[in-house]
Amino acid sequence: MINIRTLSPDDWPLWRELRLAALAEAPYAFGSRLADWQGDGDREERWRARLALPGSFNLIAERGAKPVGMVSGIPGPNAGTVELISLWVAANARGRGVGECLVQAVEQWATGMGTERLHLAVMPGNEHAFALYRRLGLRDTGPHGDPLPDGRREHVMVKHLPTDRNTHRADVRRAAAEQAAIWHELLERLK
């Protein structure tokens, strides 16, 4: 059974363990390098800050009690977009639905916020990642961004998410009303 767990900045040692394993085992899959997160880059405050990115949703996957995968969702570069980053599944857990569960968890989170698009970048040549994302409904929009050191460019993949604007608007109105009630109560207490 796969258990998906949401992390907070206090879970930084677990995130650190998985991220370092990911960068060591699959350096071809990431823009970051292992060396960037070791030595002077391996500091508690840096790991905490990574998990505290505003609006981020950081997850790990566990099989039994063992962490076997990780992913994050962060606000994208454009309104209505969530970016999926840092997906990695341990080699011994691949092909068992872990990557699919992690991507779907970010997609559900993004949909719940009323997000219109999920997007991510894939390193050229990472065919297993391309296959996973295609199976989950993302489409390749081609190479984008600045060239990598070897001249290649990452590919951006996008999925349009179902949105129910009326439900989302009602949720926003409800949350605003709840916040207003809390503020009113606090102001009454201060009188």
Side-chain angles (χ1 to χ4, degrees):
M1 183 167 128
I2 301 166
N3 180 48
I4 303 297
R5 201 171 112 199
T6 304
L7 300 184
S8 75
D10 290 338
D11 296 310
W12 71 269
L14 181 54
W15 184 266
R16 176 188 177 274
E17 174 189 336
L18 287 170
R19 184 65 173 163
L20 293 177
L23 294 171
E25 190 269 330
Y28 59 86
F30 301 102
S32 295
R33 298 173 312 140
L34 180 60
D36 297 334
W37 289 89
Q38 292 179 316
D40 291 339
D42 188 6
R43 298 181 317 277
E44 177 180 343
E45 65 272 10
R46 187 173 183 208
W47 292 106
R48 283 181 175 279
R50 168 59 184 82
L51 291 174
L53 289 173
S56 67
F57 184 58
N58 305 291
L59 305 169
I60 63 160
E62 298 170 319
R63 285 181 51 112
K66 183 176 168 78
V68 294
M70 63 191 303
V71 71
S72 288
I74 61 171
N78 304 310
T81 301
V82 161
E83 186 172 4
L84 186 144
I85 62 171
S86 302
L87 178 67
W88 176 75
V89 175
N92 64 355
R94 291 181 189 148
R96 292 178 164 82
V98 174
E100 185 174 319
C101 285
L102 287 165
V103 173
Q104 288 174 337
V106 171
E107 183 177 329
Q108 288 171 354
W109 167 75
T111 299
M113 293 190 326
T115 302
E116 298 169 359
R117 289 173 306 284
L118 178 66
H119 97 221
L120 55 90
V122 183
M123 296 299 267
N126 192 348
E127 295 307 319
H128 292 289
F130 277 110
L132 169 67
Y133 298 138
R134 283 187 190 111
R135 270 195 324 275
L136 296 175
L138 286 104
R139 65 176 180 79
D140 187 354
T141 65
H144 294 278
D146 295 330
L148 300 167
D150 63 5
R152 300 176 304 156
R153 294 176 193 266
E154 289 181 306
H155 281 244
V156 172
M157 299 185 79
V158 176
K159 181 174 184 176
H160 292 277
L161 302 175
T163 57
D164 181 346
R165 293 202 182 279
N166 292 330
T167 299
H168 179 64
R169 286 184 186 129
D171 290 344
V172 169
R173 282 193 295 272
R174 188 177 317 105
E178 290 170 1
Q179 287 179 341
I182 291 168
W183 278 107
H184 180 71
E185 183 180 325
L186 288 173
L187 289 172
E188 288 299 315
R189 289 181 187 175
L190 293 174
K191 286 184 179 180

